[in-house]
Amino acid sequence: MTEQLGLRERKKLETRRRIADAALGLFDERGFDRVPVTEIARAANVSEATVFNYFPSKEDLVYGGMQSYEERLLAAVAARPEGTSAVVAFREFVLEPRGALADDDGGASSAVARTARIIAGSETLQAREQRIVDQATDALAELIARDPSAPSSALSAWVTANALMGVNRAMTRLAQRLAAQGGSGLEIGRAVRKEGREAFELLERGL
């Protein structure tokens, strides 16, 4: 039973990856807004319904990973050890090597660069990204407001959350620019984390 479940999960992961790869390839070639979901389904050899089973919206084909990342980030801040501030928990999570930026592989940076190109060419995707960031920032502000070591006012908590999310987004933009220049994910990750540490130090001195 365990082996069957493992096989089933692997097949699901393979299907999800195949759909995402087909979608991103088409988006990069023709632009996000010009590619219908029916064409993605044909390219991935699945039904349109299957695409939506794995990705609730067309935008999730690009932003599913970002949404998951923001959720894990907020969960890490919420579940931080007693005595650890929300600011420190946020910083530690963001600076932890992970994903494409912990991979010594030029293909990882190519994937980051491709996603950046797709987003840059679509106002629809840019609007979706802003909604994700806004929602995460509001949720982070609520967590900070409950932190005994944080500023007491709701406005101060919101300002702090925006500053922290600003560093996170700036690190993402830097990673995208460096990916467009080539190099491995590991090299890019090191450079981005260095800049991130300096930015957090600046905020901590000011905050």
Side-chain angles (χ1 to χ4, degrees), residues 184-201:
S184 72
L186 194 60
E187 293 169 338
I188 295 169
R190 287 170 179 161
V192 169
R193 287 190 294 276
K194 178 179 179 295
E195 295 286 342
R197 281 192 294 271
E198 293 175 358
F200 280 119
E201 288 170 3

Side-chain angles (χ1 to χ4, degrees), residues 62-162:
V62 177
Y63 279 127
M66 178 183 179
Q67 188 88 52
S68 175
Y69 173 85
E70 303 293 359
E71 290 170 357
R72 296 197 310 274
L73 171 56
L74 292 170
V77 174
R80 65 191 182 279
E82 185 176 353
T84 300
S85 71
V87 173
V88 169
F90 183 99
R91 181 192 65 201
E92 290 179 350
F93 184 91
V94 169
L95 293 179
E96 179 184 347
R98 62 167 57 81
L101 300 188
D103 190 349
D104 194 16
D105 179 3
S109 62
S110 297
V112 173
R114 179 178 66 173
T115 301
R117 287 194 302 270
I118 293 168
I119 294 169
S122 171
E123 292 184 1
T124 300
L125 287 175
Q126 293 166 25
R128 171 63 180 272
E129 179 176 346
Q130 189 58 55
R131 288 197 299 273
I132 293 173
V133 172
D134 288 346
Q135 291 168 359
T137 302
D138 289 343
L140 179 62
E142 293 180 8
L143 291 173
I144 292 172
R146 298 198 296 267
D147 188 338
S149 66
S152 57
S153 73
L155 179 59
S156 295
W158 191 80
V159 168
T160 302
N162 273 270

